[in-house]
Amino acid sequence: MSSPIKMVIDPITRVAGHLGLTAYVDPNTRQVVSDQAWTYVTMFRGFEVFLRGRQPPDAIHITSRSCGVCGAAHANGSTRANDMALGAVPYPLGVVLRNMAYVMTDTIYDHSIILNVLEGPDFSAQVFQNYYSSCWQAAKQTKAEYTDIHGFSTIADIMAALNPFTGWLWIHAVKAQILAREAGVLIYGRHSHPPMLIPGGIGTDLSVGESIFLQYMYRLTILTAWTKLVIAAWMDLANFLIDNCDYEKQGLTFEKPTYITGYGYESPELYSNLGDNYTTIYQNIDSIIQEASEGPQTVFRPTMVRNGELLSKSFIDINVSSLEFVNSSFYSDWAKTTSPLTETDPVGNKLAWGLTAPDGTPYYMYHLWNKTTIPNPVAPNFMEKYSWDAEPRLVWKDGTMWSYETGPWARLHAVSHFHPNSPIVKNGKIYIELPTINEVPAWLSSQAPGSMQKWTVEWEVPDYSTTLSRILGRAVDMAAAIFAGWDNLEYGLELFMKNQTSPKTSRPWKQPSFSLGVGMYEVPRGTVRHWMVVQNYSIANYQYQAPTTQNVSPRDNNCKGPWCNNGKAIGAFELSVINTKIMEEVPPSQWIGYDFLRAIRSFDPCLVCAAHFEIKGTGKELKHVITPVCNT
């Protein structure tokens, strides 16, 4: 019997760095041996520590510095936590502007880059020619089904378009993301750290509002055609890989759907009427899943699914169920050395449903309102502590506990299966009509004139998260963003034209002596969540999770239920590698691990959202250097 091959890929590139993988692979079966695959974050996250003591609005702009790519994701999560904690929600026009900006500066911008520049090269002609020769030969002979939309004749042409630096999709994704960022900056003022987001609203200068709407519409028009092209190309490529290259179940996470989702592109009318104090806003927040009486409806809605079973469609239930542990992470447990800041949520629900750990510790101590970040670096040990990422878990009323995932596939699965009144759902499928476009730049019209035609995106979301379903989910999520962009643009312009002289966007926030806030928002990588405890208008505690925090979670023993892996909870990243077979058509000594990398990159990981400061080695000196803007 051949000995397992130890594969170490560290760092994993094209995922914002600071992620490593170690796996033991059987060279005969080409699969991971006995769940022996570990992913780990190699850098410390410190933002939660130095947020304490600051005024709550500061968190919006500090947490956005978590990352130079998805800063607006954290800014939006923090803004919503501030809305609740400081008792202020925007006027409908303020919600519209938030939605319009986010459509562009994160979703369309981010998905364009991830699909075609960062994930795309793994599916490029260069890779398939050298490592998947039989699949490449089939690609050259396979006609593309959607050639009338994207303009590529064969699957091999699509692969060639993903070649780094030279491929058509690779090059023009860079052009498209510039347009998306420009559109968002019209509203945010800057990206990726939007200075205009404030509690209770947005600070966009609408003295030239008509021009803002017009310039936004011009870019949305081009990006609508671009989105059709991208979705059609990836649908063709994914279908080919499933039919010809045995890729349908590659990168599987949980055997049955296990995920959470949050709100995304909220109804301007419903969000604007949540209330004017943290208790009322929290109590009313689940009303957003209802259909709006006027204007756009909320697109994405809270959903908690465990092992294929819908547990709840309540934001409040998800919050009460959310815990975070550090048994396998480079932190110290705080539960026995700190006092709780709150044992209940704002409406009196006992956090963690009042359950206790086997050692008698109340689980509410592990809720994010009570968690304390205490870094404690030690030597990595896969049997003990091995990652700077903590361990998000969910606990239900029956005492069961589990790890879970989040992402575009999850939110599209959630609305198509459990929220039939979402505006992007029809007959249990994602159903999004993208409008006719009359004029686009030559670089787009010459490649794909069909992308200017009206096209309906239909996708029956599969009941499993795999490498390809996550990638297709990301592509189809672009259509959802385009839909929200047009929906909010039309409604927002109507609101603005009714009162151009003094358009109302923002309500003043309060300075409470005590309050709680939680912001949960659907962002490109999944669900971002921010928790804040306010005392005397200062942050007493702040915790937040990027989608990657939840997906890259290291394994631990905090798992109760038949879905556990030998008694352990294993995070989505590690499961996706464990359930991936190496398909490279070269000897094991030449394996690169492309299939493992595809599985991980399909999550669109962002590790700098979970780790922010590092000085390596001894004898290092940290200097703060101020450079004058001009010399006098």
Side-chain angles (χ1 to χ4, degrees):
M1 178 180 294
S2 302
S3 299
I5 297 172
K6 181 180 181 181
M7 297 188 69
V8 179
I9 307 174
D10 184 3
I12 296 176
T13 57
R14 290 190 262 127
V15 295
H18 314 299
L19 176 67
L21 163 69
T22 295
Y24 289 87
V25 182
D26 185 323
N28 297 311
T29 65
R30 297 171 166 257
Q31 290 187 290
V32 170
V33 177
S34 303
D35 296 345
Q36 294 185 61
W38 299 268
T39 57
Y40 36 88
V41 180
T42 60
M43 200 176 187
F44 168 54
R45 172 183 192 163
F47 277 39
E48 296 165 339
V49 176
F50 59 72
L51 279 166
R52 298 174 201 153
R54 296 179 179 270
Q55 291 190 347
D58 291 348
I60 297 171
H61 307 291
I62 292 173
T63 58
S64 85
R65 269 67 183 180
S66 300
C67 180
V69 175
C70 47
H74 287 294
N76 274 274
S78 184
T79 298
R80 284 156 178 79
N82 268 272
D83 288 349
M84 183 183 294
L86 305 188
V89 289
Y91 287 102
L93 183 56
V95 181
V96 163
L97 291 171
R98 286 182 181 181
N99 286 341
M100 286 172 57
Y102 201 77
V103 160
M104 292 293 188
T105 51
D106 270 52
T107 307
I108 299 299
Y109 146 71
D110 191 281
H111 287 344
S112 294
I113 290 296
I114 295 302
L115 285 168
N116 304 300
V117 175
L118 300 180
E119 290 175 345
D122 289 338
F123 296 91
S124 66
Q126 291 180 4
V127 168
F128 272 77
Q129 285 172 323
N130 292 323
Y131 291 92
Y132 303 86
S133 58
S134 63
C135 202
W136 169 249
Q137 293 302 320
K140 291 193 294 182
Q141 304 301 320
T142 304
K143 298 294 183 182
E145 179 181 355
Y146 295 109
T147 185
D148 58 324
I149 300 294
H150 53 59
F152 301 107
S153 297
T154 66
I155 301 301
D157 292 336
I158 298 174
M159 291 177 172
L162 294 170
N163 282 336
F165 303 105
T166 61
W168 192 95
L169 282 169
W170 198 100
I171 292 171
H172 291 90
V174 177
K175 290 184 179 181
Q177 63 90 19
I178 292 172
L179 288 170
R181 293 182 68 163
E182 287 174 349
V185 167
L186 290 168
I187 298 167
Y188 276 157
R190 183 176 64 228
H191 186 262
S192 60
H193 311 306
M196 295 303 170
L197 285 173
I198 55 175
I202 192 165
T204 306
D205 179 8
L206 290 179
S207 63
V208 290
E210 195 169 350
S211 175
I212 290 175
F213 282 107
L214 182 62
Q215 292 184 61
Y216 183 96
M217 182 171 63
Y218 164 73
R219 290 164 175 81
L220 180 59
T221 299
I222 298 171
L223 291 168
T224 299
W226 163 253
T227 294
K228 295 175 193 174
L229 185 158
V230 171
I231 295 172
W234 278 99
M235 280 187 168
D236 269 341
L237 182 53
N239 289 337
F240 166 80
L241 292 169
I242 290 171
D243 294 340
N244 297 273
C245 306
D246 197 22
Y247 232 80
E248 183 175 11
K249 292 296 183 73
Q250 286 278 80
L252 178 71
T253 55
F254 300 92
E255 291 291 338
K256 297 180 180 179
T258 302
Y259 59 75
I260 64 165
T261 68
Y263 289 112
Y265 311 125
E266 303 105 329
S267 158
E269 292 292 332
L270 290 181
Y271 194 85
S272 182
N273 287 286
L274 287 178
D276 61 359
N277 62 77
Y278 80 97
T279 301
T280 304
I281 292 172
Y282 184 85
Q283 182 177 21
N284 291 337
I285 196 163
D286 279 326
S287 67
I288 304 178
I289 68 172
Q290 302 167 11
E291 288 192 30
S293 57
E294 183 181 351
Q297 301 175 42
T298 303
V299 175
F300 298 117
R301 293 100 186 274
T303 317
M304 177 164 47
V305 177
R306 178 199 63 192
N307 201 39
E309 175 188 7
L310 172 66
L311 291 182
S312 178
K313 296 191 284 187
S314 166
F315 176 104
I316 291 174
D317 284 352
I318 295 174
N319 176 53
V320 170
S321 299
S322 296
L323 307 177
E324 194 166 284
F325 299 98
V326 291
N327 298 287
S328 299
S329 312
F330 299 137
Y331 302 94
S332 296
D333 194 316
W334 61 91
K336 295 182 177 63
T337 58
T338 62
S339 299
L341 292 165
T342 181
E343 297 180 17
T344 63
D345 71 359
V347 294
N349 294 310
K350 201 80 169 180
L351 298 179
W353 312 110
L355 298 167
T356 59
D359 65 359
T361 304
Y363 273 133
Y364 62 67
M365 288 302 299
Y366 295 99
H367 188 274
L368 284 295
W369 276 326
N370 292 319
K371 183 200 170 186
T372 301
T373 301
I374 308 173
N376 181 32
V378 296
N381 184 332
F382 293 135
M383 299 300 105
E384 297 178 4
K385 292 179 177 286
Y386 63 93
S387 179
W388 277 110
D389 190 71
E391 300 129 43
R393 300 289 180 261
L394 293 170
V395 63
W396 194 234
K397 303 168 187 178
D398 58 6
T400 55
M401 189 177 296
W402 64 97
S403 56
Y404 55 95
E405 75 175 286
T406 181
W409 164 82
R411 60 173 164 262
L412 293 169
H413 187 278
V415 293
S416 63
H417 284 71
F418 307 117
H419 298 277
N421 62 348
S422 169
I424 63 168
V425 174
K426 184 176 181 179
N427 297 326
K429 295 181 181 180
I430 299 299
Y431 186 93
I432 305 170
E433 293 184 353
L434 298 179
T436 301
I437 301 302
N438 293 323
E439 187 175 351
V440 296
W443 62 265
L444 187 52
S445 61
S446 60
Q447 166 64 33
S451 65
M452 299 169 66
Q453 302 169 3
K454 181 179 179 180
W455 188 47
T456 300
V457 177
E458 291 188 71
W459 191 44
E460 186 170 356
V461 186
D463 279 333
Y464 39 80
S465 169
T466 63
T467 298
L468 290 180
S469 65
R470 290 187 292 271
I471 288 174
L472 275 181
R474 176 158 292 107
V476 175
D477 195 51
M478 293 177 69
I482 292 295
F483 169 86
W486 284 111
D487 209 18
N488 282 271
L489 171 64
E490 293 172 11
Y491 185 64
L493 185 57
E494 179 183 345
L495 290 176
F496 173 74
M497 296 303 288
K498 288 179 180 178
N499 189 7
Q500 297 183 58
T501 55
S502 56
K504 292 183 177 181
T505 60
S506 309
R507 294 185 172 102
W509 66 83
K510 303 170 181 64
Q511 299 185 12
S513 58
F514 177 84
S515 66
L516 301 169
V518 54
M520 180 163 59
Y521 200 60
E522 285 301 297
V523 303
R525 291 160 180 82
T527 307
V528 69
R529 299 190 290 170
H530 285 233
W531 290 264
M532 178 166 60
V533 180
V534 176
Q535 291 180 343
N536 299 319
Y537 194 55
S538 293
I539 296 174
N541 192 27
Y542 201 102
Q543 297 289 324
Y544 63 105
Q545 294 176 347
T548 302
T549 313
Q550 298 158 85
N551 288 331
V552 75
S553 166
R555 65 190 68 190
D556 68 3
N557 293 322
N558 284 307
C559 188
K560 299 176 183 177
W563 43 79
C564 303
N565 293 65
N566 298 318
K568 294 185 178 295
I570 302 182
F573 274 27
E574 293 183 1
L575 285 173
S576 74
V577 174
I578 290 167
N579 293 320
T580 292
K581 182 177 181 179
I582 292 182
M583 307 289 283
E584 296 171 39
E585 297 173 9
V586 294
S589 61
Q590 299 177 30
W591 286 350
I592 301 295
Y594 277 116
D595 302 286
F596 291 162
L597 293 173
R598 288 191 191 106
I600 291 174
R601 289 184 183 129
S602 67
F603 291 95
D604 183 12
C606 188
L607 285 308
V608 291
C609 284
H612 306 296
F613 191 80
E614 180 181 48
I615 301 177
K616 286 188 173 182
T618 59
K620 305 293 184 182
E621 184 177 0
L622 180 65
K623 294 182 179 181
H624 181 201
V625 179
I626 299 176
T627 303
V629 175
C630 58
N631 295 318
T632 58

